[in-house]
Amino acid sequence: MSLVDELRWRGMIHDIMPGTEELLEKEQVTAYVGIDPTADSLHIGHLVGVMMLKRLQHAGHRPIALVGGATGMIGDPSGKSQERNLLDETTLRQNQESLKKQISKFLDFETGAPNRALMVNNYDWMKDYTFLAFIRDIGKHITVNYMMAKDSVKKRLGADSKSGMSFTEFTYQLVQGYDFQVLYREHHCKLQMGGSDQWGNIVTGTELIRRIEKGEAYALTWPLITKSDGGKFGKTEEGNVWLDPERTSPYKFYQFWLNVSDEDAEKYLKIFTMLGREAIQQLVSEHTEAPHKRVMQKKLAEEITVLIHSREEYDMAVEASDILFGRGTRESLKKIREELFLSVFEGVPQYEVPTSRMDKDVLELLAVDTGVFASKGEARRMIAGGGVSINKQKLSDPGQRITEKDFINNRYLLVQKGKKNYYLIRVRES
RNA sequence: GGGGAGGUUCCCGAGUGGUCAAAGGGGGCAGACUGUAAAUCUGUUGGCUACGCCUUCGAAGGUUCAAAUCCUUCUCUCCCCA
């Protein structure tokens, strides 16, 4: 099966320029994907692009990850993102280094293989490029008419557009197009890939290459990743799901994938794992037979968590999940060794309360001394509704008192609001 | 500039002197069911020292025993005409 066929099967192709498939079959191709260095970590919204590069390298082609140090300062007109702030160069470099470390888990940058991955930063060729030189060398090859025909631009010029579009945003496609041209010239990069909203920008690049370099370049986009319920992919109540364990704990990360809906699981297995056709079909049929076992979600979460974090972190996340969602009891909780206990609850909100404050009813403890509840009324209602547990034991009386016997390891109380919200209260001697 | 409509709790939206912490819906949260799902059903959705009290209906004043409701001024939004 050709690379493009496989990508098609995986649902990773939205649009592809004629000739791209043939090109990928006949020679080793260098291709790139752009990434904004707005943070020092990738989040799972970046994952499709990185997987794309990984599959490309896997098939023997050469991937380039382009860090958009320059373009990231502008923001394209397609939308959601307002114009960005200028990052200072130090931050930019730091971010780039962090991103490279993360991407190294997917791509081989190190070996001497001819298709080893490359990371570049367009800031390097844009920073000293003067405005005058740019409009003289690049700008004159593309007409404004051409630029205005792009959807992203048209939308902003239409009558229904609320805010206008700045000249800077308008120029975005040229800057991005020039990136492609530079990579074409210096690395024989003939293909740019991106999300479906990038099509217009990519094509501007191929156009520049055609006109200035007299060369052929290609474009490939992947579809927007969706969720079956229409929500935005990659977001939780707490925000983005990051690859950086400091921002999103491996446990939360694992949980994110584990909770994917049935409809999405198959789709995500195809996109985000290296599992082959047979393996995925096997999982799908197993799932159809026993949906409650959620083999698809489990495999998905395993594959990705191991890839991003490690086998150890994955094991830990599974163990934590068992404790939190399995039929854990008060007794089993008390038996856990302290280090595991703490690692399980690492990402959970914690409150520290001195022993002197413990001698009162739970209501006060939960609503006043800690922020578990916003008000006593809320706490009272929740307890009455059977929604609060302490150490896995349902709380029925808001006037109940906590005694030392209740502490886990002599100093922890595990509070549960509903099924999924955990809070850890740590008792401090005073 | 002239005329009209209107601003209600997270959102939409009822309420036009006491029975209003304010209908109904949505959303949120929780319970049951379940697969840590979906669907469904149920409860809950201003605060407190809680059979009572306090703060809330654009803002400020006023009338009244009593105001989201009546009056005055201000303010913002929308629509129509010029």
Side-chain angles (χ1 to χ4, degrees), chain A residues 278-296:
Chain A
E278 289 77 32
I280 291 178
Q281 265 157 10
Q282 169 74 19
L283 287 167
V284 172
S285 65
E286 268 180 57
H287 181 269
T288 318
E289 259 170 57
H292 61 281
K293 287 193 176 149
R294 290 191 293 160
V295 284
M296 290 198 299

Side-chain angles (χ1 to χ4, degrees), chain A residues 53-313:
Chain A
L53 290 175
K54 184 176 169 71
R55 294 186 199 290
L56 196 85
Q57 187 171 45
H58 199 71
H61 300 292
R62 181 170 204 209
I64 298 181
L66 178 142
V67 171
T71 33
M73 293 172 179
I74 303 174
D76 76 27
S78 68
K80 50 276 166 192
S81 44
Q82 306 98 331
E83 293 192 40
R84 321 281 175 64
N85 291 327
L86 216 105
L87 294 166
D88 61 88
E89 189 161 351
T90 325
T91 314
L92 186 64
R93 295 298 176 199
Q94 279 166 358
N95 288 355
Q96 181 180 345
E97 271 318 296
S98 312
L99 295 183
K100 184 166 184 179
K101 245 171 111 184
Q102 290 183 337
I103 296 177
S104 301
K105 294 190 171 166
F106 298 82
L107 304 181
D108 176 7
F109 284 96
E110 297 304 328
T111 65
N115 69 330
R116 70 176 178 282
L118 190 68
M119 180 177 263
V120 295
N121 191 331
N122 61 12
Y123 184 73
D124 290 327
W125 57 79
M126 285 313 295
K127 67 176 171 186
D128 294 325
Y129 206 162
T130 67
F131 179 71
L132 196 60
F134 187 79
I135 56 175
R136 182 194 59 206
D137 300 341
I138 308 302
K140 71 171 183 185
H141 293 283
I142 297 284
T143 63
V144 168
N145 311 54
Y146 178 83
M147 292 172 73
M148 293 213 305
K150 307 283 179 193
D151 275 350
S152 60
V153 173
K154 257 195 287 188
K155 236 180 281 164
R156 294 290 294 276
L157 293 174
D160 49 330
S161 146
K162 295 166 213 73
S163 56
M165 173 179 50
S166 71
F167 177 71
T168 308
E169 289 174 282
F170 179 60
T171 316
Y172 184 89
Q173 55 171 302
L174 270 193
V175 180
Q176 182 171 329
Y178 177 63
D179 286 345
F180 197 177
Q181 193 198 332
V182 168
L183 293 181
Y184 177 87
R185 203 166 54 209
E186 299 188 354
H187 301 287
H188 306 290
C189 175
K190 289 186 184 172
L191 173 63
Q192 181 182 172
M193 306 186 292
S196 52
D197 57 334
Q198 293 299 310
W199 182 259
N201 294 333
I202 298 174
V203 170
T204 301
T206 63
E207 199 57 30
L208 277 177
I209 292 169
R210 181 168 306 128
R211 296 192 189 179
I212 302 176
E213 307 289 333
K214 311 284 178 232
E216 275 302 310
Y218 300 85
L220 188 160
T221 57
W222 56 80
L224 187 72
I225 306 298
T226 55
K227 281 204 309 185
S228 55
D229 66 6
K232 247 198 176 138
F233 169 76
K235 296 270 183 182
T236 64
E237 303 74 44
E238 291 104 62
N240 283 327
V241 177
W242 300 90
L243 303 202
D244 180 358
E246 296 297 316
R247 290 176 183 251
T248 300
S249 70
Y251 164 73
K252 283 258 170 65
F253 187 85
Y254 169 78
Q255 282 284 322
F256 172 82
W257 297 104
L258 193 66
N259 279 313
V260 157
S261 74
D262 293 4
E263 301 86 275
D264 293 333
E266 181 183 350
K267 201 165 66 190
Y268 295 169
L269 276 168
K270 288 179 184 164
I271 297 175
F272 297 114
T273 73
M274 294 304 280
L275 296 175
R277 206 164 192 156
E278 289 77 32
I280 291 178
Q281 265 157 10
Q282 169 74 19
L283 287 167
V284 172
S285 65
E286 268 180 57
H287 181 269
T288 318
E289 259 170 57
H292 61 281
K293 287 193 176 149
R294 290 191 293 160
V295 284
M296 290 198 299
Q297 284 92 336
K298 282 180 183 161
K299 191 64 182 169
L300 178 69
E302 175 185 347
E303 288 290 318
I304 305 181
T305 309
V306 170
L307 177 63
I308 308 293
H309 297 295
S310 66
R311 177 62 62 178
E312 290 72 47
E313 296 283 9

